Protein backbone atom coordinates (compact mmCIF):
# COMPACT_ATOMS: atom_id res chain seq x y z
CA UNK A 1 0.00 0.00 0.00
CA UNK A 2 1.18 3.50 -0.80
CA UNK A 3 1.80 5.80 2.13
CA UNK A 4 0.55 9.34 1.66
CA UNK A 5 1.85 12.14 3.85
CA UNK A 6 0.14 15.49 4.07
CA UNK A 7 1.52 18.60 5.74
CA UNK A 8 -1.18 20.50 7.58
CA UNK A 9 -0.34 23.93 8.99
CA UNK A 10 -1.43 24.19 12.61
CA UNK A 11 -2.00 27.74 13.75
CA UNK A 12 -1.93 28.87 17.35
CA UNK A 13 -5.00 28.11 19.38
CA UNK A 14 -7.20 30.92 20.61
CA UNK A 15 -7.47 31.36 24.37
CA UNK A 16 -10.78 29.47 24.31
CA UNK A 17 -9.32 26.62 22.21
CA UNK A 18 -6.36 26.47 24.60
CA UNK A 19 -8.75 26.22 27.56
CA UNK A 20 -10.65 23.39 25.83
CA UNK A 21 -7.39 21.56 25.04
CA UNK A 22 -6.21 21.88 28.64
CA UNK A 23 -9.55 20.76 30.08
CA UNK A 24 -9.37 17.64 27.90
CA UNK A 25 -5.93 17.01 29.42
CA UNK A 26 -7.46 17.24 32.91
CA UNK A 27 -6.18 20.75 33.64
CA UNK A 28 -9.17 22.72 34.90
CA UNK A 29 -7.88 25.08 37.59
CA UNK A 30 -8.28 28.64 36.18
CA UNK A 31 -4.93 29.96 37.47
CA UNK A 32 -3.08 26.96 36.05
CA UNK A 33 -4.84 27.42 32.69
CA UNK A 34 -3.95 31.12 32.71
CA UNK A 35 -0.25 30.43 33.44
CA UNK A 36 -0.08 27.93 30.58
CA UNK A 37 -1.85 30.35 28.23
CA UNK A 38 0.59 33.15 29.16
CA UNK A 39 3.63 30.93 28.46
CA UNK A 40 2.34 29.10 25.37
CA UNK A 41 0.40 31.84 23.57
CA UNK A 42 -1.63 28.93 22.22
CA UNK A 43 1.27 27.41 20.23
CA UNK A 44 0.43 23.69 20.02
CA UNK A 45 4.04 22.55 20.51
CA UNK A 46 4.46 24.73 23.59
CA UNK A 47 1.17 23.42 24.94
CA UNK A 48 2.34 19.83 24.51
CA UNK A 49 5.62 20.64 26.28
CA UNK A 50 3.92 22.47 29.14
CA UNK A 51 1.37 19.69 29.63
CA UNK A 52 3.70 16.72 29.17
CA UNK A 53 3.27 16.16 32.89
CA UNK A 54 -0.19 17.60 33.62
CA UNK A 55 0.03 16.92 37.38
CA UNK A 56 2.85 19.44 37.80
CA UNK A 57 2.35 23.15 38.16
CA UNK A 58 3.88 25.45 35.58
CA UNK A 59 6.41 28.01 36.81
CA UNK A 60 5.34 31.33 35.26
CA UNK A 61 8.82 32.80 35.85
CA UNK A 62 10.51 30.07 33.77
CA UNK A 63 10.45 29.58 30.02
CA UNK A 64 8.93 26.60 28.21
CA UNK A 65 12.17 24.56 28.18
CA UNK A 66 12.89 25.19 31.88
CA UNK A 67 9.35 24.08 32.71
CA UNK A 68 9.79 20.89 30.68
CA UNK A 69 13.18 20.12 32.25
CA UNK A 70 11.76 20.58 35.77
CA UNK A 71 9.75 17.38 35.28
CA UNK A 72 12.85 15.28 34.75
CA UNK A 73 14.08 14.27 38.22
CA UNK A 74 17.38 15.84 39.31
CA UNK A 75 19.06 12.42 39.61
CA UNK A 76 18.36 11.74 35.91
CA UNK A 77 20.99 14.15 34.65
CA UNK A 78 21.76 11.97 31.61
CA UNK A 79 18.20 12.47 30.35
CA UNK A 80 18.40 16.23 30.84
CA UNK A 81 21.70 16.44 29.00
CA UNK A 82 20.57 14.13 26.18
CA UNK A 83 17.39 16.15 25.70
CA UNK A 84 19.40 19.35 25.19
CA UNK A 85 22.32 17.81 23.29
CA UNK A 86 20.01 15.85 21.01
CA UNK A 87 18.71 19.14 19.66
CA UNK A 88 22.15 19.60 18.11
CA UNK A 89 21.84 16.56 15.83
CA UNK A 90 22.14 18.10 12.40
CA UNK A 91 20.24 15.32 10.67
CA UNK A 92 17.58 12.72 11.53
CA UNK A 93 18.95 10.25 14.04
CA UNK A 94 18.66 6.66 15.17
CA UNK A 95 20.11 4.89 18.19
CA UNK A 96 23.60 4.78 16.65
CA UNK A 97 23.94 8.57 16.88
CA UNK A 98 23.83 8.35 20.66
CA UNK A 99 27.29 6.76 20.49
CA UNK A 100 28.56 10.20 19.41
CA UNK A 101 27.72 11.48 22.91
CA UNK A 102 30.63 9.93 24.77
CA UNK A 103 29.13 10.56 28.22
CA UNK A 104 26.30 8.06 27.58
CA UNK A 105 27.33 4.61 28.84
CA UNK A 106 26.88 1.96 26.15
CA UNK A 107 24.63 -0.15 28.40
CA UNK A 108 22.22 2.80 28.84
CA UNK A 109 22.05 3.81 25.16
CA UNK A 110 18.99 1.73 24.28
CA UNK A 111 16.86 2.83 27.24
CA UNK A 112 17.82 6.51 26.80
CA UNK A 113 17.10 6.33 23.08
CA UNK A 114 13.66 4.80 23.74
CA UNK A 115 12.96 7.51 26.29
CA UNK A 116 14.05 10.30 23.93
CA UNK A 117 11.95 9.17 20.97
CA UNK A 118 8.83 9.14 23.18
CA UNK A 119 9.09 12.88 23.86
CA UNK A 120 6.23 14.97 22.43
CA UNK A 121 8.48 16.98 20.09
CA UNK A 122 10.23 14.04 18.43
CA UNK A 123 8.99 13.17 14.95
CA UNK A 124 9.49 9.80 13.23
CA UNK A 125 10.09 9.73 9.50
CA UNK A 126 7.81 7.13 7.90
CA UNK A 127 10.33 6.81 5.05
CA UNK A 128 13.43 5.62 6.91
CA UNK A 129 12.33 5.29 10.55
CA UNK A 130 14.79 7.92 11.74
CA UNK A 131 13.75 10.54 14.25
CA UNK A 132 14.21 14.29 14.48
CA UNK A 133 13.24 17.13 16.73
CA UNK A 134 10.34 19.27 15.62
CA UNK A 135 12.15 22.30 14.16
CA UNK A 136 10.65 24.73 16.69
CA UNK A 137 11.65 22.43 19.56
CA UNK A 138 15.12 21.96 18.08
CA UNK A 139 15.59 25.71 18.01
CA UNK A 140 14.19 26.13 21.55
CA UNK A 141 16.32 23.40 23.10
CA UNK A 142 19.56 24.24 21.28
CA UNK A 143 19.17 27.96 22.09
CA UNK A 144 18.48 27.08 25.72
CA UNK A 145 21.65 24.95 25.87
CA UNK A 146 23.72 27.71 24.26
CA UNK A 147 22.46 30.32 26.74
CA UNK A 148 22.67 28.00 29.74
CA UNK A 149 26.07 26.40 29.06
CA UNK A 150 27.97 27.59 25.97
CA UNK A 151 30.92 25.32 26.84
CA UNK A 152 28.68 22.21 26.80
CA UNK A 153 27.03 23.47 23.60
CA UNK A 154 30.39 23.73 21.80
CA UNK A 155 31.73 20.46 23.28
CA UNK A 156 28.66 18.63 21.99
CA UNK A 157 28.94 20.28 18.58
CA UNK A 158 32.58 19.09 18.34
CA UNK A 159 31.61 15.53 19.39
CA UNK A 160 28.88 15.42 16.76
CA UNK A 161 31.08 16.95 14.05
CA UNK A 162 33.74 14.29 14.74
CA UNK A 163 31.11 11.55 14.65
CA UNK A 164 29.62 12.75 11.35
CA UNK A 165 33.10 13.22 9.82
CA UNK A 166 34.14 9.69 10.81
CA UNK A 167 30.90 8.30 9.43
CA UNK A 168 31.42 10.10 6.11
CA UNK A 169 35.01 8.86 5.85
CA UNK A 170 33.87 5.28 6.56
CA UNK A 171 31.18 5.60 3.89
CA UNK A 172 33.71 6.84 1.34
CA UNK A 173 36.03 3.90 2.10
CA UNK A 174 33.26 1.28 1.73
Amino acid sequence: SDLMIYAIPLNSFTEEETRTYLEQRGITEPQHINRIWQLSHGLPLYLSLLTANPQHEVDPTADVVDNFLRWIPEHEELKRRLLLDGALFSRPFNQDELSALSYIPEQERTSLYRWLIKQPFIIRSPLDGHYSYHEVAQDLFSRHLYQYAPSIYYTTRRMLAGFYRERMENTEVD
Side-chain angles (χ1 to χ4, degrees), residues 25 27 32 51-57 71:
R25 302 267 330 210
I27 299 169
H32 194 181
T51 60
N53 194 337
Q55 286 74 44
H56 284 78
E57 281 291 317
W71 300 323

Side-chain angles (χ1 to χ4, degrees), residues 16-171:
E16 188 54 41
E17 290 167 333
T18 298
R19 185 177 324 292
T20 301
Y21 171 84
L22 294 174
E23 287 170 353
Q24 289 175 354
R25 302 267 330 210
I27 299 169
T28 57
E29 199 273 309
Q31 269 191 315
H32 194 181
I33 289 172
N34 190 49
R35 281 191 290 274
I36 291 173
W37 166 253
Q38 295 302 319
L39 280 171
S40 72
H41 302 289
L43 287 168
L45 179 66
Y46 287 14
L47 283 169
S48 73
L49 290 173
L50 292 170
T51 60
N53 194 337
Q55 286 74 44
H56 284 78
E57 281 291 317
V58 169
D59 180 352
T61 64
D63 67 14
V64 173
V65 175
D66 279 326
N67 270 291
F68 190 82
L69 291 173
R70 284 181 339 125
W71 300 323
I72 301 172
E74 289 286 337
H75 67 276
E76 299 200 52
E77 188 56 39
L78 274 180
K79 286 182 179 177
R80 290 167 174 260
R81 179 135 185 227
L82 172 59
L83 200 66
L84 295 171
D85 286 354
L88 300 179
F89 287 132
S90 58
R91 41 178 271 188
F93 62 91
N94 60 26
Q95 187 174 318
D96 290 350
E97 270 79 4
L98 268 59
S99 66
L101 305 173
S102 58
Y103 59 85
I104 296 179
E106 188 174 346
Q107 66 273 17
E108 292 189 44
R109 228 177 266 152
T110 299
S111 63
L112 286 170
Y113 174 75
R114 287 186 181 142
W115 173 83
L116 179 62
I117 63 174
K118 288 180 184 166
Q119 299 312 305
F121 47 84
I122 299 292
I123 302 163
R124 183 178 186 272
S125 166
L127 302 176
D128 63 8
H130 288 128
Y131 291 86
S132 58
Y133 279 59
H134 181 288
E135 64 184 43
V136 174
Q138 187 168 24
D139 184 54
L140 268 178
F141 282 90
S142 61
R143 194 168 348 114
H144 179 88
L145 178 59
Y146 179 77
Q147 291 169 345
Y148 168 74
S151 61
I152 293 173
Y153 174 90
Y154 286 115
T155 298
T156 301
R157 297 281 303 229
R158 280 191 293 278
M159 277 192 280
L160 290 172
F163 176 81
Y164 291 136
R165 185 172 37 258
E166 185 178 310
R167 195 171 247 192
M168 268 181 29
E169 289 167 359
N170 289 342
T171 302

